[in-house]
Every structure is written in C-alpha cells, then in structure tokens.
Amino acid sequence: MVVLDSGEIIQAARASMAIPTIFTAVNYKNRKLVDGGIVRNFPVINAKEMGADIVIGSNVAGQLLSKEKITNVFQVLLQIAFFRENEDAKKEEKLCDILIMHPLDDYSMGSFGSSSEIIDEGIKKGRELYPVLKRLADSLNAIYGEDKLQSGSLLPGPDSVKITAYEIKGLHKTNPDFFFNRLAFHLNRYYDQFDLSEKVRNAFGTNYYKKIVYSLVQLKDGTYKIVFDVEENPFTFLKLGVNYNKFTGISLIGNITSHNFLTPYSRSQLTVNLGENLRIRGEQIQFFGKQKSLSVTGTTQLESVSINAYNNFNKQGLYNQGYFLGDLNGRFSPTRSLSFGIGGRFESLHYKPDIPAKIDVSGYINYWSGYFFVKANSLSNAIYPKKGSKTEFEFGFTAKQTQELDINVNNARIQNYDSLGIDFTNYSYLKLNSETYFPVSKRVNIFTQLQADINFKRQNNFINSFSIGGLTNVYRNQVVFAGLDEGTVLTNSVTSLMLGMRFQLYSNMYVIGKSNIAFYDFVDRDFKPENAKFLSGYSLSFGYNFILGPLEISAMYCDQSKSLLPYINLGISF
C-alpha cells in the first residue's frame, strides 16, 4: 500500500484509477502504482490515522459477483483483482460513524454509459440521508462555530497566475528548447488552466510525447514556476490495423513511423495496405523554425484499385486503375488546428479493362499540377467527433498532360478523341470538403458535410473526373454520397450537401442517419448551372467503435437509381 498524502492531486487520482489490465500503471518514485483497491478499496483506517474524528463512508463497490454472473474474461479479471479487498472492506465498514451503501449491483466499473443513472442514485441517497447529515453539521457548528466559505466556493483561488520560471523533467531524446518552443509558451505572462491545457496540446501534436503533466510552484515574489514532467514516445513505432470495406475488400494495414530518422526534427512514415488492392504510401516531413511551424512534406504513393464501371446507375464492366503520385509541398501552421501552403505534384494513371464495358480505356495519362491549400481541423475526436469542424480546400492548375490511350466504344477503337468530347488541354480545378459537428444533447449529435469538386474549362469526360458514391473516402477524387456505390457517377463538376444525425445508444454503439443531395455536370466549356443534374440519397447505419476501429453496417437508397444497397466498413481505411 502507498498512501499519497502530498504532491500533485492529478497524479494521485490517476494512480488511484489505474485498474490492472485496463489502465496503465503510474510511475512514482521508482515504483509503478495501480488502483489502491487491490489492497484496500475502502480505506477508513487510513482516514483515522490521518486524524479524522468522524468518518462518513460512501461505498459504491458492490459485492463479488456470483458465479452465475461471471460470463466474460473482463469479469474474471475484476473478480481476481478485487477478491482480496472484499474481505478487508467488511472490516473497514465497521469503523465508519455513518456508512452509506448504494444499491449498484446492476452496474460495474465498466458502466461508463450509465453514468447518469449512477449519479441519480447518489442524489437520491443524499436526499434520504440529508436529515442525518444536517444534525451532525449542526452539532459540530454548535461546538466549533460555523465555518464561512469565502465567495461561496469550496476551492477559492486566482483565475490565472503569472509564470516567471519553468523546469522540464524527463527529456532524453528531445531538448528543452524544442519542447518549450512547441508549447508556444512565454514567461512573465498570466495563464489559467485552459491556456495551459492548450499549450500542452501544442506539444502533444508533435507525437514526440506520450505524457505531459505540469505542476505550479509558488515563488517568494508571488509568481509561479511551472514544472513539466514529461514521458517521451519511442522515436520509431509500428501500428497495425485491419480494414474491410465493401469497395476495397479486406486488407491488413501496417504503418511504421520514425522521428528524426533521416534528419533532426523530421518525421518519416511508410504505410502498406496488403489485400485485394495493393497500396503503398511514403511520407517525409521536415520541420523548420523556432516554433517548428514551417514544414516541407514529400509524399509518394503507389496503388492498384479495381473499380466498377456504370452506365445509368447499372454496372456494366470492371477496370483496374493503377496510380502513382509524387507530391512536394511547403506549409505554415500558425496554430495547432490551421495550416496553409503551396505545392506541386506529378500523377500518373494507368487503365486496364478487366470486364469489358460499353466504353473501355486502356493505356496511361501523366500530368503535373501546382496548387494552393488550406487545412483546418478542430474536431474533438478523430472517430465519431462530438463537436468541431474539419475543412480541406485546394485550388490548383493542371498542365503538361501526356497520354497514350486506346478508347473503344462497343469494341470499336476511337481515333478522334474530340468525337467523345475529350481533350487534354490545361485546366484549373477546385476541391473542397468541410465537415461540422454540433452536440444537441449528451447522446445526440447533428453533423453536416459540404463537398465541391470542379474541373474548370473542361469538356465532359471520364478521364481524371470525380467519382460520386460510397460512405467512406477510400480513393482519389472520390465524392462520398449516401445512396450510391463508389464510382456510380463520374463527372467534372459536383457539389453536394449532407445532413446527418448520430444517436449514442450505449458507450460505443451508435445509430447514424444521413440525407444528402448533389448537383453535378454544371461545368463543361461554359458555366451553365441550369444544366446541372440532381441526386438525392439516404443511409441508415449501425455503428460500433471497438479496438479495431469503427464497424458500420449500413443500408442506403438513392431516389434516382431506385436501389436499396448494403454497405459495410470495418476499421480505419488506408
């Protein structure tokens, strides 16, 4: 047993909740601390040893489970972990002057989704015991006098403090200047807890650090020194995932990330997707500047994807699309959630028919692009966010197209591309994707998505066009749309708006509804909005978020295709 009666309360609380096999143990003075309940879950003796004359004990822990209720490995582990403390708790309860027991046998430490019901039970029990506690308070006030709280607060204190010094502990692979600059922290300024939390997030955003805990030490002049206790991440680590998508099939995804592998203040990544569609992506990021807010990113990607061909919403063939990408861009990130910059890329597309269609394309096309981009991300979570927004905007110019393509219509080779309305002149383009999430209640979220993708001054064709369909973004130039499978509609201009609602059934289970509309084919050689075609679609999904990532089983319908389609996605896509 370790009694924590001094130091940082955050570290003490974190250690007290470190249930073995569920939460990571806490390092403390060359020890690893776990939940004290393993030894003494109801420490009345310790309270008395600290000088308590009267002990009011509130025990929320139920009895050990009966053998009939032990049905999974989680319950077995908890039964083993708390078998010993159950006998000790019976002795401790007898030492209480007032013992409050709660009928919570229907709940466990894993009942995070039932927090409201558990809190309601505590409020109910408090109201029942109010007369007893009031008499005790009146008796103590009669003896010692009434204690007046200042400003009506149990925890009075300044809203902000002036920080004039700092200390950093635990750095081995990175230096203090790098850590301090990534915080975007300045001495001799006033900070409150919200400011400091934001600073810590700045440092976490580098992925160099696993844990950052800070404490404040008051100095003689009334200002404060901030002390950071830091635990660094390994500089190289491997991540593995499994993904199944109706479009791409099942695949194993591996990612290796290394910091400072080639140069200082850099991050190198290699991601490989092994499955029905082979995909490989490499990325190198080099950071510059005192705040490391400037960076240059080089990316290369190679993939081979099988895509269905459609005619009037009906499948009519299958072709393989090979894709190579080489991209280099520079960006400036003034805040943790915003970046913008310029870049250039080379792309190569290779087409090969697998199942003949009315129009078949084989061969390749290469082209270069220069672009400007803005990215902003304030989402609360990467998966099932409850609030915030994410916006990606890109405007660019494509030139130097070279191609060697064979185009066949009904098995007849086309010699003149113009007869199909295809050209390979230079053109500008725009891509926009913006998502926003609003919490309506504790369990309900409303979200929207706006997409706009336009190739300007282009004849309408299927080469390098945008692909409408699918609930998950899984390949280049895709516009997700509830109601259609990937690639059902190809166009050079599309804008769509989606409105959705997500209802949380339990802690990790959701029901998600989406409704969206789209206008497409409104740009050819001239801008003619009145010629736009219309789509409307809907989807209803059951979602479950677990260790492999989200599992979503969906049904979707499109008013134009008149088809009810299934859709399944498991895990994080490539």
Side-chain angles (χ1 to χ4, degrees), residues 242-306:
V242 175
N243 176 250
Y244 173 79
N245 183 274
K246 180 185 175 183
F247 173 72
T248 58
I250 190 167
S251 58
L252 175 67
I253 301 176
N255 171 274
I256 184 169
T257 299
S258 181
H259 293 280
N260 299 359
F261 177 66
L262 297 177
T263 57
Y265 308 117
S266 68
R267 185 173 70 209
S268 308
Q269 291 191 81
L270 177 65
T271 305
V272 179
N273 185 108
L274 297 176
E276 298 177 35
N277 297 279
L278 176 64
R279 312 170 90 177
I280 302 173
R281 180 170 60 239
E283 183 179 77
Q284 174 72 17
I285 304 176
Q286 181 65 55
F287 298 97
F288 300 95
K290 185 177 180 181
Q291 304 293 338
K292 299 299 181 286
S293 56
L294 292 173
S295 64
V296 173
T297 302
T299 304
T300 183
Q301 183 169 324
L302 182 66
E303 67 180 28
S304 176
V305 180
S306 295

Side-chain angles (χ1 to χ4, degrees), residues 52-73:
D53 297 314
I54 299 172
V55 175
I56 303 171
S58 177
N59 195 353
V60 298
Q63 300 299 313
L64 292 175
L65 296 174
S66 63
K67 63 181 182 180
E68 292 80 9
K69 291 185 177 182
I70 301 176
T71 58
N72 58 56
V73 65

Side-chain angles (χ1 to χ4, degrees), residues 205-346:
T206 65
N207 289 324
Y208 279 94
Y209 306 105
K210 181 179 181 181
K211 183 186 74 171
I212 303 174
V213 177
Y214 71 84
S215 58
L216 296 172
V217 179
Q218 190 169 17
L219 303 177
K220 293 181 179 180
D221 60 0
T223 63
Y224 286 80
K225 178 174 78 170
I226 187 167
V227 180
F228 294 99
D229 187 4
V230 180
E231 184 177 344
E232 295 169 311
N233 272 323
F235 266 26
T236 301
F237 51 90
L238 175 68
K239 294 181 287 186
L240 294 173
V242 175
N243 176 250
Y244 173 79
N245 183 274
K246 180 185 175 183
F247 173 72
T248 58
I250 190 167
S251 58
L252 175 67
I253 301 176
N255 171 274
I256 184 169
T257 299
S258 181
H259 293 280
N260 299 359
F261 177 66
L262 297 177
T263 57
Y265 308 117
S266 68
R267 185 173 70 209
S268 308
Q269 291 191 81
L270 177 65
T271 305
V272 179
N273 185 108
L274 297 176
E276 298 177 35
N277 297 279
L278 176 64
R279 312 170 90 177
I280 302 173
R281 180 170 60 239
E283 183 179 77
Q284 174 72 17
I285 304 176
Q286 181 65 55
F287 298 97
F288 300 95
K290 185 177 180 181
Q291 304 293 338
K292 299 299 181 286
S293 56
L294 292 173
S295 64
V296 173
T297 302
T299 304
T300 183
Q301 183 169 324
L302 182 66
E303 67 180 28
S304 176
V305 180
S306 295
I307 303 175
N308 287 307
Y310 289 82
N311 181 26
N312 196 26
F313 304 106
N314 296 314
K315 292 181 183 179
Q316 62 166 353
L318 180 71
Y319 66 94
N320 178 269
Q321 177 182 278
Y323 177 62
F324 172 79
L325 165 71
D327 185 286
L328 183 68
N329 67 69
R331 69 182 65 194
F332 174 62
S333 303
T335 67
R336 184 173 52 88
S337 58
L338 174 66
S339 64
F340 55 88
I342 59 174
R345 66 168 66 99
F346 170 79

Side-chain angles (χ1 to χ4, degrees), residues 7-278:
E8 289 299 312
I9 192 171
I10 292 177
Q11 187 179 46
R14 176 62 181 82
S16 181
M17 61 170 279
I19 303 171
T21 76
I22 307 300
F23 297 108
T24 307
V26 173
N27 295 319
Y28 176 77
K29 295 183 179 179
N30 297 322
R31 289 182 169 184
K32 286 188 177 294
L33 302 186
V34 297
D35 187 352
I38 301 300
V39 179
R40 179 170 293 163
N41 199 41
F42 201 58
V44 182
I45 291 177
N46 301 95
K48 287 186 171 293
E49 288 175 349
M50 290 180 179
D53 297 314
I54 299 172
V55 175
I56 303 171
S58 177
N59 195 353
V60 298
Q63 300 299 313
L64 292 175
L65 296 174
S66 63
K67 63 181 182 180
E68 292 80 9
K69 291 185 177 182
I70 301 176
T71 58
N72 58 56
V73 65
F74 179 75
Q75 292 169 332
V76 171
L77 291 172
L78 289 181
Q79 192 87 335
I80 293 171
F82 293 104
F83 182 82
R84 177 181 175 184
E85 67 84 17
N86 187 62
E87 291 300 316
D88 182 76
K90 294 177 181 178
K91 301 175 183 178
E92 301 282 330
E93 290 171 358
K94 297 177 181 179
L95 301 176
C96 291
D97 298 280
I98 298 176
L99 177 63
I100 307 171
M101 301 297 293
H102 300 271
L104 299 174
D105 291 340
D106 293 335
Y107 306 99
S108 69
M109 284 178 291
S111 300
F112 298 110
S114 302
S115 57
S116 296
E117 293 85 347
I118 295 173
I119 291 172
D120 290 342
E121 174 56 39
I123 293 173
K124 177 182 177 182
K125 184 64 69 171
R127 288 170 176 163
E128 293 176 359
L129 288 169
Y130 178 77
V132 177
L133 300 176
K134 182 65 167 60
R135 284 196 298 270
L136 176 60
D138 291 342
S139 299
L140 294 175
N141 289 337
I143 298 173
Y144 301 105
E146 188 171 352
D147 185 17
K148 300 292 185 180
L149 295 177
Q150 296 180 0
S151 305
S153 172
L154 292 175
L155 295 172
D159 293 331
S160 61
V161 296
K162 185 177 183 180
I163 298 178
T164 57
Y166 72 94
E167 180 183 355
I168 306 171
K169 301 177 181 178
L171 294 181
H172 304 288
K173 300 174 182 177
T174 57
N175 59 59
D177 287 341
F178 174 77
F179 176 81
F180 196 69
N181 287 329
R182 288 306 296 163
L183 291 172
F185 194 86
H186 300 279
L187 295 178
N188 298 308
R189 293 188 183 179
Y190 284 87
Y191 293 93
D192 60 23
Q193 64 268 39
F194 303 108
D195 297 328
L196 294 176
S197 294
E198 183 66 20
K199 300 301 181 185
V200 168
R201 290 189 181 95
N202 288 337
F204 265 123
T206 65
N207 289 324
Y208 279 94
Y209 306 105
K210 181 179 181 181
K211 183 186 74 171
I212 303 174
V213 177
Y214 71 84
S215 58
L216 296 172
V217 179
Q218 190 169 17
L219 303 177
K220 293 181 179 180
D221 60 0
T223 63
Y224 286 80
K225 178 174 78 170
I226 187 167
V227 180
F228 294 99
D229 187 4
V230 180
E231 184 177 344
E232 295 169 311
N233 272 323
F235 266 26
T236 301
F237 51 90
L238 175 68
K239 294 181 287 186
L240 294 173
V242 175
N243 176 250
Y244 173 79
N245 183 274
K246 180 185 175 183
F247 173 72
T248 58
I250 190 167
S251 58
L252 175 67
I253 301 176
N255 171 274
I256 184 169
T257 299
S258 181
H259 293 280
N260 299 359
F261 177 66
L262 297 177
T263 57
Y265 308 117
S266 68
R267 185 173 70 209
S268 308
Q269 291 191 81
L270 177 65
T271 305
V272 179
N273 185 108
L274 297 176
E276 298 177 35
N277 297 279
L278 176 64

